[in-house]
Amino acid sequence: MRSSGSFRQRWADPALTVLAIELAVAIFIVAPVGVLAPRSGLVLPLLLTALVVTPVLLAAVLVASTSGAARAAVFVAIALIVTGIVLGFQGPSVAGTYLHLIGSLLLGGTLIWVVARAVFAPGRVTYHRLVGTLVLYLMIGSTFAGLYGTLGLLVPHAFGGMPPREDGPAVIAHALYFSFVTLTTAGFGDVVPTHPLTRGLANLETVVGQLFPATLIARMVTLELTSRHGAAGVDPAR
């Protein structure tokens, strides 16, 4: 038990960097390319990517978190996402898209909880913890994307510029695109919320996108100063 704890303590911070790489690949490469998969024979490469990404993601979460509930939630979320992907490969499937989106929401909420605890825990601010803040940012955008995609399937005319709901990979890719455009306040206007629910959610994400960097910087500075004062034997309250 003691060796297991020391192993986690040693590799918890590097695991945040692994998570950042995995999420960046999934969001910025796998999801956009997935739109082309049914039309260009990229099903096998995408499936192989999912099979490679999943074990590494699980390993990173196992190291970064000591919570059994968090690990179980990640297992369930990945199972839902993979099932949704497989159903989508067999043909247009709204059910597969629902499974993918629900799995993304579960994964997003779990990773936000796990990574926030690791990033904002007391101690020295390391490079890996700074990368962990990128994980948080990516997961906020991905979680909102899951909400947008789910509302897009449930609510008629929730968005303008979205693909047909039967085209699962395109719906997911467009939801991710709209989410990060909203989070960063880029606002290109090619996908627009047209329903009060989606407009309210977009407003909320815009506020989060503005407050997150300021709150993050303040917390990181506080942690670093506290760590330095503690190392020097100085009471930080003075």
Side-chain angles (χ1 to χ4, degrees):
M1 292 294 291
R2 185 173 299 175
S3 61
S4 175
S6 62
F7 175 81
R8 275 203 177 92
Q9 187 175 7
R10 179 180 179 183
W11 291 103
D13 279 357
L16 295 175
T17 300
V18 174
L19 282 173
I21 295 171
E22 293 287 338
L23 292 171
V25 169
I27 293 170
F28 301 122
I29 298 177
V30 176
V33 174
V35 180
L36 306 175
R39 293 174 281 277
S40 59
L42 294 176
V43 172
L44 182 58
L46 285 174
L47 186 58
L48 289 175
T49 300
L51 292 176
V52 171
V53 167
T54 298
V56 180
L57 178 62
L58 286 173
V61 173
L62 288 173
V63 172
S65 174
T66 58
S67 169
R71 295 196 293 269
V74 170
F75 274 103
V76 172
I78 290 178
L80 291 173
I81 292 172
V82 171
T83 303
I85 291 174
V86 171
L87 289 177
F89 286 159
Q90 295 175 353
S93 172
V94 177
T97 306
Y98 272 119
L99 289 176
H100 195 144
L101 291 170
I102 293 171
S104 298
L105 285 172
L106 180 59
L107 182 64
T110 304
L111 287 183
I112 288 173
W113 177 52
V114 168
V115 175
R117 293 184 63 187
V119 168
F120 297 129
R124 188 168 62 90
V125 177
T126 64
Y127 163 78
H128 296 294
R129 292 179 74 173
L130 290 175
V131 174
T133 63
L134 173 61
V135 175
L136 276 178
Y137 195 74
L138 292 177
M139 290 317 305
I140 290 171
S142 300
T143 303
F144 272 98
L147 293 172
Y148 292 134
T150 304
L151 285 175
L153 294 178
L154 292 174
V155 181
H157 309 297
F159 289 94
M162 277 285 193
R165 65 200 301 267
E166 291 79 13
D167 192 350
V171 169
I172 292 167
H174 278 69
L176 280 169
Y177 166 76
F178 174 75
S179 179
F180 281 98
V181 166
T182 304
L183 187 65
T184 58
T185 66
F188 295 120
D190 47 349
V191 178
V192 293
T194 56
H195 190 277
L197 287 177
T198 51
R199 286 177 175 175
L201 195 60
N203 286 335
L204 176 61
E205 185 177 18
T206 302
V207 172
V208 171
Q210 293 295 304
L211 292 179
F212 182 81
T215 305
L216 174 68
I217 292 172
R219 179 58 177 168
M220 290 292 103
V221 169
T222 301
L223 286 173
E224 181 63 19
L225 290 176
T226 302
S227 177
R228 290 184 182 183
H229 285 309
V234 178
D235 185 356
R238 294 182 179 178

